[in-house]
Amino acid sequence: MYTEKDDPVFPEDNYYDEHRIGQVLGLTKREYFAAMALQGIMANAEFMHFEAAKMAVKKADELIEELNKQQ
């Protein structure tokens, strides 16, 4: 299954409230993967610096790219 960076992680169909009807997208796969990568990076004191967020986003993009190669 091919994945896009902007695909929702946990979409919820048939959602309704007074402001929005339809699908709630929530976090994108890229955002979710980056958050998980950042959590792992920050668990290692060696990587606790200002570049950690950039590293997490790069790793998320690499994961998505690698997943798409596995098709």
Side-chain angles (χ1 to χ4, degrees):
M1 179 171 87
Y2 187 81
T3 189
E4 293 287 339
K5 294 177 184 181
D6 294 331
D7 286 347
V9 178
F10 306 114
E12 182 179 323
D13 290 326
N14 302 321
Y15 178 83
Y16 172 81
D17 73 14
E18 60 192 54
H19 303 290
R20 184 174 184 156
I21 298 171
Q23 187 178 59
V24 175
L25 300 179
L27 290 173
T28 66
K29 288 183 178 181
R30 184 180 194 218
E31 292 167 336
Y32 183 73
F33 293 160
M36 297 298 102
L38 184 58
Q39 184 176 13
I41 291 165
M42 296 304 289
N44 184 337
E46 180 181 336
F47 293 110
M48 290 181 131
H49 52 76
F50 66 93
E51 295 291 323
K54 288 181 183 179
M55 184 185 301
V57 171
K58 180 178 178 187
K59 293 301 178 188
D61 289 344
E62 290 173 2
L63 174 58
I64 291 169
E65 183 178 322
E66 191 61 33
L67 287 171
N68 288 331
K69 287 180 185 177
Q70 302 299 320
Q71 301 302 313

